[in-house]
Amino acid sequence: MPAASTTLRMLAVSVIASLTVTGCQTFEDAGVAMGRSELVNDLAARLDRALELTYSADYQLPGGQSAAIVQAQDPARSTYTYPGGQLTVTPEAITRCTTTGARPQCTLIAPPTPGSKPTVTLFGEANRQGLVTPPVVVGLLTTAALDPQAVIKQSDTTVAGHHAACVAVESSSGDFTACVTTEGVLGSFTGPVDGKPVELALRDYSPTVDEGAFDPPAGAGVVDRRPGGS
């Protein structure tokens, strides 16, 4: 199972444990805690399952821009394409590319240690450019679930032809809405991420991938900074 999958499960379990600590609480308080913990667990489980799928997801961003997430298994690999860049993670390397110039430029660094936990900083540039990744969504929901003043409302919708469960969160740290499809794919997100407003919506989903999606952009200049790289 991918390390990211284990991390999301740990997040959900941590929230459940925090919300169901025994103490002086009314039945109403207990009901609120259970509702929040179940909600976090359900969405985390959906996103968790998606990390073990092979799929391609295209997203619509504001201003006519677009982004994409592509994942494949055996071996597990993924690529995130967003305005101005691309991040690819494979067992061989982490490849960061900038595509704003006349020629794309890519840098290869050592891949994650097998079994290690993913860090949100790995997806920092993607988040800044409007492509919110599932670990960030889980983190935001976790923070809201632990906030006793937060209001969390659930609803259902259809995104790009796929049924999705949604949560609308109102909290002191920022309001956001997130939808996750039955398959476990992020369907939509609207809200602040690191203080910047972000909005995206699933435009197309496919259970297949183009194997070329994990390669650097055509014609890119590549610098290998892995130990022993050239």
Side-chain angles (χ1 to χ4, degrees):
M1 180 178 295
S5 173
T6 301
T7 300
L8 290 178
R9 281 208 180 103
M10 291 176 65
L11 269 172
V13 171
S14 175
V15 172
I16 293 173
S18 299
L19 290 174
T20 56
V21 172
T22 58
C24 298
Q25 59 180 175
T26 65
F27 286 111
E28 181 179 1
D29 292 334
V32 171
M34 181 57 70
R36 285 177 174 170
S37 66
E38 289 177 346
L39 181 58
V40 170
N41 189 53
D42 178 65
L43 293 184
R46 289 192 185 194
L47 293 170
D48 182 33
R49 287 195 299 270
L51 292 169
E52 300 174 13
L53 296 177
T54 292
Y55 75 89
S56 303
D58 294 326
Y59 293 93
Q60 181 68 51
L61 305 182
Q65 294 184 308
S66 61
I69 297 176
V70 180
Q71 289 186 177
Q73 310 300 323
D74 300 322
R77 54 207 188 280
S78 58
T79 188
Y80 306 82
T81 304
Y82 45 87
Q86 176 179 303
L87 169 69
T88 301
V89 182
T90 70
E92 291 75 36
I94 294 174
T95 305
R96 299 181 184 275
C97 300
T98 57
T99 57
T100 54
R103 182 188 184 193
Q105 299 293 325
C106 300
T107 301
L108 278 62
I109 61 175
T113 302
S116 64
K117 300 176 183 179
T119 61
V120 172
T121 56
L122 179 65
F123 307 105
E125 184 61 23
N127 295 329
R128 285 189 289 272
Q129 299 305 323
L131 177 56
V132 182
T133 56
V136 172
V137 176
V138 172
L140 290 171
L141 186 57
T142 300
T143 299
L146 294 173
D147 180 358
Q149 302 302 318
V151 177
I152 303 176
K153 299 178 181 179
Q154 186 174 13
S155 62
D156 295 292
T157 190
T158 300
V159 182
H162 295 262
H163 177 267
C166 305
V167 289
V169 175
E170 299 177 9
S171 70
S172 58
S173 58
D175 302 346
F176 68 89
T177 300
C179 297
V180 180
T181 70
T182 301
E183 294 85 356
V185 176
L186 181 62
S188 66
F189 180 90
T190 302
V193 176
D194 295 332
K196 178 181 178 180
V198 172
E199 180 179 355
L200 62 75
L202 184 66
R203 181 171 56 191
D204 187 53
Y205 168 85
S206 172
T208 62
V209 302
D210 178 356
E211 288 296 328
F214 306 105
D215 297 332
V222 178
V223 176
D224 191 346
R225 299 193 182 282
R226 293 173 295 179
S230 56

